[in-house]
Amino acid sequence: AQTVTQSQPEMSVQEAETVTLSCTYDTSESDYYLFWYKQPPSRQMILVIRQEAYKQQNATENRFSVNFQKAAKSFSLKISDSQLGDAAMYFCAYRSAGSHFGNEKLTFGTGTRLTIIP
Amino acid sequence: GAVVSQHPSRVICKSGTSVKIECRSLDFQATTMFWYRQFPKQSLMLMATSNEGSKATYEQGVEKDKFLINHASLTLSTLTVTSAHPEDSSFYICSARFSQLLFGSGTQLSVL
């Protein structure tokens, strides 16, 4: 079974600064997807960024980028120019690739609570 | 646009009663939906996978008789917590796939 580990329960960053959230995972599969989700106080899960394991290039979405190290099974999220609206719980998640039944389910890490300091 | 709508957002019930939570896909059809449970300050744990027209698949350790899932149409899945007890108090979230996985806004269940 796959596991996802987030070793930073809480992080804080000054507004406009950069912060990196860590995530490691364990799997025996070679093809999979990794995600970062944001859960603000409203508790709505919002997809931040997604990475396909077969792609070497790190995914980027505006101020959000990842550092995907497949051999090390590491998938960190970098938030640049942090904004007050970035304050939330951030969850790293894993999903097996393939389209057959059951592969859609996500395995989540325990989350990192990010605080933005004005 | 495509949205997953979940109701109610909050429910308080007495111990021993049953509670139904609805998860609807709006503007798209979902043959498969997923039900997660989130304890305070913890991660989301998959409870079951709901399949339209067939039985749900439950994760190990989840009591299928306590958490009844019905996926009667391509746009509606329901989770019924039967004979709820205080330990069932939790945040329940459903999700469905539409290009990406979309999540409902969740239901906070409090059992007194």
Side-chain angles (χ1 to χ4, degrees), chain A residues 39 43-44 95 101 104 109, chain B residues 38 43 51 97 103 108:
Chain A
Q39 188 181 42
R43 305 189 79 172
Q44 176 75 53
R95 193 198 113 194
F101 174 78
E104 302 267 11
Chain B
Q38 184 179 28
S43 186
N51 305 293
R97 166 163 288 280
F103 286 84
Q108 179 64 54

Side-chain angles (χ1 to χ4, degrees), chain B residues 41-59:
Chain B
K41 297 184 180 181
Q42 293 189 27
S43 186
L44 282 76
M45 300 296 293
L46 181 66
M47 298 176 63
T49 302
S50 167
N51 305 293
E52 187 268 335
S54 64
K55 291 182 179 180
T57 301
Y58 291 82
E59 295 298 302

Side-chain angles (χ1 to χ4, degrees), chain A residues 42-43, chain B residues 5-12 20-22 90-92 104-110:
Chain A
S42 68
R43 305 189 79 172
Chain B
S5 175
Q6 187 174 342
H7 292 282
S9 58
R10 182 179 296 272
V11 59
I12 301 172
K20 181 184 285 189
I21 302 169
E22 291 188 347
S90 189
F91 190 68
Y92 295 87
S105 52
T107 298
Q108 179 64 54
L109 171 63
S110 299

Side-chain angles (χ1 to χ4, degrees), chain B residues 13-25:
Chain B
C13 69
K14 292 182 179 180
S15 184
T17 61
S18 294
V19 173
K20 181 184 285 189
I21 302 169
E22 291 188 347
C23 182
R24 294 181 184 273
S25 60

Side-chain angles (χ1 to χ4, degrees), chain B residues 39-93:
Chain B
F39 288 104
K41 297 184 180 181
Q42 293 189 27
S43 186
L44 282 76
M45 300 296 293
L46 181 66
M47 298 176 63
T49 302
S50 167
N51 305 293
E52 187 268 335
S54 64
K55 291 182 179 180
T57 301
Y58 291 82
E59 295 298 302
Q60 191 172 6
V62 177
E63 298 176 61
K64 55 182 67 176
D65 293 334
K66 164 160 284 289
F67 299 101
L68 298 180
I69 291 173
N70 185 292
H71 195 150
S73 78
L74 288 170
T75 59
L76 175 64
S77 175
T78 60
L79 168 67
T80 300
V81 183
T82 62
S83 187
H85 288 98
E87 58 265 29
D88 299 324
S89 298
S90 189
F91 190 68
Y92 295 87
I93 310 176

